[in-house]
Short mmCIF file of all heavy atoms in Angstrom, two decimals:
data_model
loop_
_atom_site.label_atom_id
_atom_site.label_comp_id
_atom_site.label_asym_id
_atom_site.label_seq_id
_atom_site.Cartn_x
_atom_site.Cartn_y
_atom_site.Cartn_z
N GLN O 1 0.81 -1.18 0.00
CA GLN O 1 0.04 -0.07 0.00
C GLN O 1 0.86 1.26 -0.02
O GLN O 1 0.48 2.31 -0.54
CB GLN O 1 -0.90 0.02 1.19
CG GLN O 1 -1.97 -1.07 1.21
CD GLN O 1 -3.00 -0.93 0.20
OE1 GLN O 1 -3.23 0.22 -0.29
NE2 GLN O 1 -3.65 -2.03 -0.22
N LYS O 2 2.00 1.15 0.64
CA LYS O 2 2.92 2.35 0.75
C LYS O 2 3.87 2.48 -0.41
O LYS O 2 4.22 1.52 -1.00
CB LYS O 2 3.68 2.23 2.02
CG LYS O 2 2.88 2.30 3.26
CD LYS O 2 3.83 2.28 4.46
CE LYS O 2 3.03 2.21 5.71
NZ LYS O 2 3.91 2.19 6.83
N ALA O 3 4.26 3.66 -0.58
CA ALA O 3 5.36 3.89 -1.59
C ALA O 3 6.75 3.46 -0.88
O ALA O 3 6.77 3.16 0.30
CB ALA O 3 5.41 5.39 -1.88
N ILE O 4 7.75 3.55 -1.59
CA ILE O 4 9.06 3.06 -1.02
C ILE O 4 9.50 4.10 0.02
O ILE O 4 9.09 5.31 0.01
CB ILE O 4 10.17 2.98 -2.13
CG1 ILE O 4 10.45 4.27 -2.78
CG2 ILE O 4 9.79 1.90 -3.11
CD1 ILE O 4 11.60 4.18 -3.65
N GLY O 5 10.27 3.62 0.98
CA GLY O 5 10.75 4.47 2.08
C GLY O 5 11.97 5.26 1.84
O GLY O 5 12.59 5.18 0.78
N PRO O 6 12.29 6.13 2.77
CA PRO O 6 13.40 7.05 2.63
C PRO O 6 14.71 6.29 2.46
O PRO O 6 15.59 6.78 1.70
CB PRO O 6 13.42 7.88 3.86
CG PRO O 6 12.58 7.10 4.89
CD PRO O 6 11.58 6.25 4.05
N SER O 7 14.94 5.20 3.07
CA SER O 7 16.23 4.49 2.94
C SER O 7 16.52 4.03 1.59
O SER O 7 17.60 4.03 1.08
CB SER O 7 16.32 3.32 3.97
OG SER O 7 16.23 3.78 5.24
N LEU O 8 15.47 3.55 0.82
CA LEU O 8 15.57 3.16 -0.60
C LEU O 8 16.00 4.28 -1.44
O LEU O 8 16.85 4.21 -2.33
CB LEU O 8 14.38 2.45 -1.05
CG LEU O 8 14.20 1.02 -0.74
CD1 LEU O 8 12.81 0.47 -1.16
CD2 LEU O 8 15.32 0.22 -1.44
N LEU O 9 15.33 5.43 -1.12
CA LEU O 9 15.75 6.67 -1.89
C LEU O 9 17.20 7.01 -1.73
O LEU O 9 17.92 7.37 -2.63
CB LEU O 9 14.90 7.82 -1.52
CG LEU O 9 13.38 7.68 -1.86
CD1 LEU O 9 12.59 8.86 -1.27
CD2 LEU O 9 13.14 7.58 -3.36
N HIS O 10 17.70 6.94 -0.44
CA HIS O 10 19.07 7.17 -0.16
C HIS O 10 20.05 6.15 -0.90
O HIS O 10 21.08 6.50 -1.36
CB HIS O 10 19.29 7.22 1.32
CG HIS O 10 18.73 8.40 2.04
ND1 HIS O 10 17.68 8.21 2.99
CD2 HIS O 10 18.98 9.65 1.90
CE1 HIS O 10 17.35 9.43 3.42
NE2 HIS O 10 18.06 10.33 2.78
N ALA O 11 19.55 4.93 -0.88
CA ALA O 11 20.37 3.85 -1.51
C ALA O 11 20.53 4.23 -2.97
O ALA O 11 21.63 4.08 -3.57
CB ALA O 11 19.78 2.50 -1.28
N LEU O 12 19.42 4.53 -3.65
CA LEU O 12 19.48 4.94 -5.06
C LEU O 12 20.42 6.05 -5.34
O LEU O 12 21.17 6.07 -6.27
CB LEU O 12 18.08 5.14 -5.59
CG LEU O 12 17.24 3.90 -5.92
CD1 LEU O 12 15.83 4.28 -6.23
CD2 LEU O 12 17.86 3.08 -7.09
N MET O 13 20.29 7.06 -4.48
CA MET O 13 21.11 8.31 -4.69
C MET O 13 22.57 7.85 -4.45
O MET O 13 23.45 8.41 -5.22
CB MET O 13 20.76 9.40 -3.75
CG MET O 13 19.39 9.91 -3.99
SD MET O 13 19.12 10.48 -5.71
CE MET O 13 18.10 9.17 -6.39
N LEU O 14 22.91 6.98 -3.54
CA LEU O 14 24.28 6.53 -3.33
C LEU O 14 24.76 5.81 -4.59
O LEU O 14 25.91 6.04 -5.08
CB LEU O 14 24.36 5.59 -2.13
CG LEU O 14 25.59 4.91 -1.93
CD1 LEU O 14 26.75 5.80 -1.51
CD2 LEU O 14 25.43 3.73 -0.87
N MET O 15 23.95 4.96 -5.17
CA MET O 15 24.30 4.13 -6.30
C MET O 15 24.56 4.99 -7.50
O MET O 15 25.38 4.67 -8.45
CB MET O 15 23.28 3.06 -6.55
CG MET O 15 23.34 2.02 -5.55
SD MET O 15 22.02 0.86 -5.86
CE MET O 15 21.94 0.01 -4.24
N ARG O 16 23.89 6.06 -7.54
CA ARG O 16 24.09 6.97 -8.69
C ARG O 16 25.58 7.43 -8.83
O ARG O 16 26.01 7.64 -10.00
CB ARG O 16 23.17 8.28 -8.40
CG ARG O 16 23.19 9.18 -9.55
CD ARG O 16 22.22 10.33 -9.20
NE ARG O 16 21.96 11.03 -10.42
CZ ARG O 16 21.11 12.03 -10.53
NH1 ARG O 16 20.39 12.33 -9.50
NH2 ARG O 16 20.96 12.69 -11.67
N LEU O 17 26.32 7.49 -7.77
CA LEU O 17 27.75 7.83 -7.82
C LEU O 17 28.55 6.77 -8.46
O LEU O 17 29.69 7.03 -8.92
CB LEU O 17 28.24 8.04 -6.36
CG LEU O 17 27.58 9.13 -5.59
CD1 LEU O 17 28.14 9.12 -4.10
CD2 LEU O 17 27.77 10.50 -6.25
N TYR O 18 28.09 5.50 -8.53
CA TYR O 18 28.84 4.39 -9.06
C TYR O 18 28.35 3.86 -10.33
O TYR O 18 28.83 2.81 -10.83
CB TYR O 18 28.81 3.27 -8.00
CG TYR O 18 29.48 3.59 -6.66
CD1 TYR O 18 28.78 4.11 -5.65
CD2 TYR O 18 30.85 3.46 -6.53
CE1 TYR O 18 29.35 4.52 -4.48
CE2 TYR O 18 31.47 3.80 -5.36
CZ TYR O 18 30.74 4.30 -4.34
OH TYR O 18 31.33 4.68 -3.18
N THR O 19 27.40 4.57 -10.98
CA THR O 19 26.80 4.06 -12.26
C THR O 19 26.87 5.09 -13.31
O THR O 19 26.44 6.19 -13.12
CB THR O 19 25.37 3.62 -12.01
OG1 THR O 19 25.27 2.82 -10.87
CG2 THR O 19 24.73 2.89 -13.19
N ASP O 20 27.25 4.70 -14.51
CA ASP O 20 27.17 5.55 -15.71
C ASP O 20 25.69 5.56 -16.14
O ASP O 20 25.01 4.55 -16.03
CB ASP O 20 28.06 5.13 -16.84
CG ASP O 20 29.55 5.18 -16.46
OD1 ASP O 20 29.85 6.00 -15.57
OD2 ASP O 20 30.28 4.46 -17.07
N SER O 21 25.18 6.63 -16.76
CA SER O 21 23.85 6.75 -17.28
C SER O 21 22.85 6.11 -16.28
O SER O 21 22.16 5.13 -16.63
CB SER O 21 23.72 6.19 -18.68
OG SER O 21 24.09 4.90 -18.72
N PHE O 22 22.88 6.65 -15.11
CA PHE O 22 22.21 6.11 -13.96
C PHE O 22 20.72 5.72 -14.21
O PHE O 22 20.24 4.52 -14.05
CB PHE O 22 22.24 6.92 -12.77
CG PHE O 22 21.54 6.45 -11.53
CD1 PHE O 22 22.03 5.34 -10.85
CD2 PHE O 22 20.33 6.99 -11.16
CE1 PHE O 22 21.27 4.85 -9.76
CE2 PHE O 22 19.62 6.59 -10.08
CZ PHE O 22 20.13 5.42 -9.37
N HIS O 23 19.91 6.65 -14.55
CA HIS O 23 18.46 6.51 -14.71
C HIS O 23 18.09 5.36 -15.65
O HIS O 23 17.23 4.54 -15.49
CB HIS O 23 17.73 7.76 -15.04
CG HIS O 23 17.74 8.77 -13.87
ND1 HIS O 23 17.12 8.54 -12.72
CD2 HIS O 23 18.49 9.88 -13.75
CE1 HIS O 23 17.34 9.61 -11.89
NE2 HIS O 23 18.21 10.41 -12.51
N GLU O 24 18.82 5.28 -16.78
CA GLU O 24 18.53 4.21 -17.76
C GLU O 24 18.94 2.88 -17.30
O GLU O 24 18.62 1.82 -17.85
CB GLU O 24 19.31 4.50 -19.16
CG GLU O 24 18.83 5.77 -19.83
CD GLU O 24 19.54 7.04 -19.35
OE1 GLU O 24 20.50 6.99 -18.50
OE2 GLU O 24 19.18 8.14 -19.74
N SER O 25 19.82 2.84 -16.19
CA SER O 25 20.27 1.63 -15.66
C SER O 25 19.44 1.09 -14.43
O SER O 25 19.99 0.21 -13.76
CB SER O 25 21.75 1.78 -15.26
OG SER O 25 22.57 2.15 -16.35
N VAL O 26 18.35 1.68 -14.17
CA VAL O 26 17.54 1.33 -13.13
C VAL O 26 16.24 0.67 -13.63
O VAL O 26 15.53 1.22 -14.48
CB VAL O 26 17.14 2.55 -12.29
CG1 VAL O 26 16.19 2.11 -11.13
CG2 VAL O 26 18.36 3.21 -11.61
N ALA O 27 15.94 -0.51 -13.13
CA ALA O 27 14.73 -1.28 -13.44
C ALA O 27 13.84 -1.12 -12.17
O ALA O 27 14.31 -1.51 -11.09
CB ALA O 27 14.99 -2.68 -13.78
N LEU O 28 12.61 -0.59 -12.37
CA LEU O 28 11.72 -0.45 -11.23
C LEU O 28 10.74 -1.69 -11.41
O LEU O 28 9.94 -1.69 -12.32
CB LEU O 28 10.85 0.79 -11.36
CG LEU O 28 11.67 2.10 -11.34
CD1 LEU O 28 10.94 3.33 -11.71
CD2 LEU O 28 12.36 2.31 -10.04
N VAL O 29 10.98 -2.69 -10.54
CA VAL O 29 10.33 -3.99 -10.77
C VAL O 29 9.22 -4.24 -9.71
O VAL O 29 9.44 -4.08 -8.60
CB VAL O 29 11.34 -5.17 -10.60
CG1 VAL O 29 10.71 -6.45 -10.68
CG2 VAL O 29 12.46 -4.93 -11.65
N THR O 30 8.04 -4.49 -10.26
CA THR O 30 6.91 -4.81 -9.34
C THR O 30 6.86 -6.40 -9.24
O THR O 30 6.92 -7.08 -10.23
CB THR O 30 5.55 -4.27 -9.79
OG1 THR O 30 5.36 -4.69 -11.19
CG2 THR O 30 5.56 -2.76 -9.78
N SER O 31 6.73 -6.82 -8.01
CA SER O 31 6.70 -8.21 -7.71
C SER O 31 5.41 -8.57 -6.92
O SER O 31 4.49 -7.71 -6.76
CB SER O 31 7.85 -8.68 -6.80
OG SER O 31 7.77 -7.96 -5.55
N SER O 32 5.19 -9.82 -6.60
CA SER O 32 4.06 -10.35 -5.85
C SER O 32 2.69 -10.15 -6.57
O SER O 32 1.68 -9.80 -5.87
CB SER O 32 3.96 -9.66 -4.47
OG SER O 32 5.23 -9.82 -3.80
N TRP O 33 2.75 -10.29 -7.87
CA TRP O 33 1.48 -10.16 -8.59
C TRP O 33 0.41 -11.26 -8.29
O TRP O 33 -0.76 -10.98 -8.58
CB TRP O 33 1.84 -10.22 -10.15
CG TRP O 33 2.30 -8.87 -10.58
CD1 TRP O 33 3.63 -8.39 -10.53
CD2 TRP O 33 1.50 -7.85 -11.15
NE1 TRP O 33 3.65 -7.09 -11.03
CE2 TRP O 33 2.44 -6.70 -11.44
CE3 TRP O 33 0.20 -7.68 -11.44
CZ2 TRP O 33 1.98 -5.56 -11.93
CZ3 TRP O 33 -0.26 -6.46 -12.01
CH2 TRP O 33 0.63 -5.42 -12.32
N SER O 34 0.85 -12.30 -7.68
CA SER O 34 -0.08 -13.36 -7.32
C SER O 34 -0.93 -12.93 -6.16
O SER O 34 -2.00 -13.56 -5.90
CB SER O 34 0.57 -14.65 -7.04
OG SER O 34 1.45 -14.54 -5.95
N GLY O 35 -0.54 -11.82 -5.41
CA GLY O 35 -1.25 -11.33 -4.30
C GLY O 35 -2.35 -10.36 -4.58
O GLY O 35 -3.01 -9.89 -3.62
N VAL O 36 -2.48 -9.97 -5.83
CA VAL O 36 -3.53 -9.02 -6.19
C VAL O 36 -4.28 -9.58 -7.42
O VAL O 36 -3.65 -10.37 -8.21
CB VAL O 36 -2.94 -7.55 -6.44
CG1 VAL O 36 -2.38 -7.04 -5.23
CG2 VAL O 36 -1.92 -7.67 -7.64
N THR O 37 -5.42 -9.05 -7.68
CA THR O 37 -6.09 -9.29 -9.02
C THR O 37 -5.37 -8.49 -10.12
O THR O 37 -4.69 -7.49 -9.76
CB THR O 37 -7.54 -8.92 -8.96
OG1 THR O 37 -7.70 -7.45 -8.87
CG2 THR O 37 -8.34 -9.61 -7.91
N LEU O 38 -5.45 -8.89 -11.28
CA LEU O 38 -4.81 -8.17 -12.36
C LEU O 38 -5.31 -6.73 -12.48
O LEU O 38 -4.49 -5.76 -12.60
CB LEU O 38 -5.03 -8.86 -13.74
CG LEU O 38 -4.28 -8.39 -14.95
CD1 LEU O 38 -2.83 -8.40 -14.68
CD2 LEU O 38 -4.62 -9.12 -16.20
N ASP O 39 -6.64 -6.49 -12.27
CA ASP O 39 -7.12 -5.14 -12.28
C ASP O 39 -6.55 -4.31 -11.16
O ASP O 39 -6.17 -3.14 -11.36
CB ASP O 39 -8.65 -5.13 -12.27
CG ASP O 39 -9.38 -5.54 -13.56
OD1 ASP O 39 -8.62 -5.60 -14.59
OD2 ASP O 39 -10.51 -6.02 -13.52
N GLU O 40 -6.49 -4.84 -9.94
CA GLU O 40 -5.90 -4.20 -8.79
C GLU O 40 -4.43 -3.85 -9.05
O GLU O 40 -3.95 -2.76 -8.80
CB GLU O 40 -6.05 -5.04 -7.53
CG GLU O 40 -5.47 -4.37 -6.30
CD GLU O 40 -6.29 -3.11 -5.88
OE1 GLU O 40 -7.32 -2.85 -6.28
OE2 GLU O 40 -5.69 -2.48 -4.96
N GLY O 41 -3.69 -4.87 -9.57
CA GLY O 41 -2.27 -4.68 -9.89
C GLY O 41 -2.09 -3.53 -10.95
O GLY O 41 -1.19 -2.63 -10.73
N ARG O 42 -2.89 -3.53 -11.90
CA ARG O 42 -2.76 -2.47 -12.97
C ARG O 42 -3.10 -1.13 -12.43
O ARG O 42 -2.45 -0.13 -12.71
CB ARG O 42 -3.72 -2.75 -14.15
CG ARG O 42 -3.26 -3.92 -14.98
CD ARG O 42 -4.29 -4.15 -16.16
NE ARG O 42 -3.77 -5.19 -16.95
CZ ARG O 42 -4.66 -5.99 -17.73
NH1 ARG O 42 -5.93 -5.74 -17.74
NH2 ARG O 42 -4.07 -6.90 -18.42
N ARG O 43 -4.09 -1.03 -11.52
CA ARG O 43 -4.43 0.27 -10.85
C ARG O 43 -3.26 0.73 -10.06
O ARG O 43 -2.91 1.92 -10.11
CB ARG O 43 -5.72 0.08 -9.97
CG ARG O 43 -6.16 1.44 -9.41
CD ARG O 43 -7.31 1.23 -8.41
NE ARG O 43 -6.98 0.40 -7.31
CZ ARG O 43 -6.23 0.78 -6.26
NH1 ARG O 43 -5.80 1.97 -6.17
NH2 ARG O 43 -6.05 -0.04 -5.23
N ARG O 44 -2.68 -0.15 -9.30
CA ARG O 44 -1.54 0.33 -8.47
C ARG O 44 -0.33 0.63 -9.28
O ARG O 44 0.40 1.55 -8.94
CB ARG O 44 -1.20 -0.85 -7.43
CG ARG O 44 -2.26 -0.98 -6.37
CD ARG O 44 -1.85 -2.00 -5.34
NE ARG O 44 -2.84 -2.16 -4.30
CZ ARG O 44 -2.86 -2.96 -3.39
NH1 ARG O 44 -1.84 -3.85 -3.23
NH2 ARG O 44 -3.82 -3.07 -2.47
N GLU O 45 -0.17 -0.10 -10.30
CA GLU O 45 0.99 0.23 -11.27
C GLU O 45 0.83 1.62 -11.82
O GLU O 45 1.78 2.39 -11.84
CB GLU O 45 0.99 -0.77 -12.36
CG GLU O 45 2.25 -0.94 -13.15
CD GLU O 45 2.17 -2.10 -14.05
OE1 GLU O 45 1.12 -2.34 -14.75
OE2 GLU O 45 3.16 -2.89 -14.19
N ARG O 46 -0.38 1.91 -12.23
CA ARG O 46 -0.70 3.28 -12.78
C ARG O 46 -0.49 4.37 -11.75
O ARG O 46 0.14 5.36 -11.93
CB ARG O 46 -2.14 3.39 -13.24
CG ARG O 46 -2.38 3.67 -14.64
CD ARG O 46 -3.76 3.81 -15.07
NE ARG O 46 -4.81 3.37 -14.23
CZ ARG O 46 -5.40 2.11 -14.26
NH1 ARG O 46 -4.99 1.29 -15.18
NH2 ARG O 46 -6.36 1.75 -13.47
N GLU O 47 -0.89 4.05 -10.38
CA GLU O 47 -0.64 5.08 -9.35
C GLU O 47 0.78 5.27 -9.09
O GLU O 47 1.24 6.32 -8.79
CB GLU O 47 -1.37 4.55 -8.04
CG GLU O 47 -2.83 4.55 -8.03
CD GLU O 47 -3.43 3.89 -6.83
OE1 GLU O 47 -2.62 3.33 -5.98
OE2 GLU O 47 -4.66 3.94 -6.70
N MET O 48 1.59 4.13 -9.16
CA MET O 48 3.02 4.21 -8.96
C MET O 48 3.66 5.22 -9.97
O MET O 48 4.58 5.97 -9.59
CB MET O 48 3.72 2.85 -9.05
CG MET O 48 3.32 2.00 -7.91
SD MET O 48 3.96 0.31 -8.23
CE MET O 48 5.41 0.36 -7.23
#
């Protein structure tokens, strides 16, 4: 239900120092699709 926390944001900012073309090298991956209906998952994906 929640967005990612502050520590993940800090981790990503830290990794930015060690990666070329940072944003293109980040995959935002949604998991646990079996825990929601497809419609609910799509709605949450859109919200994200």
Side-chain angles (χ1 to χ4, degrees):
Q1 295 291 338
K2 294 181 181 180
I4 65 171
S7 296
L8 276 174
L9 294 176
H10 290 116
L12 280 170
M13 294 308 104
L14 170 69
M15 290 177 197
R16 188 177 191 172
L17 301 172
Y18 295 92
T19 310
D20 295 336
S21 60
F22 177 74
H23 293 288
E24 295 87 6
S25 303
V26 175
L28 304 168
V29 176
T30 54
S31 63
S32 305
W33 279 84
S34 62
V36 296
T37 65
L38 186 57
D39 287 341
E40 179 69 9
R42 286 178 179 157
R43 183 185 62 75
R44 288 186 181 174
E45 199 174 43
R46 240 184 344 269
E47 287 173 358
M48 291 171 99

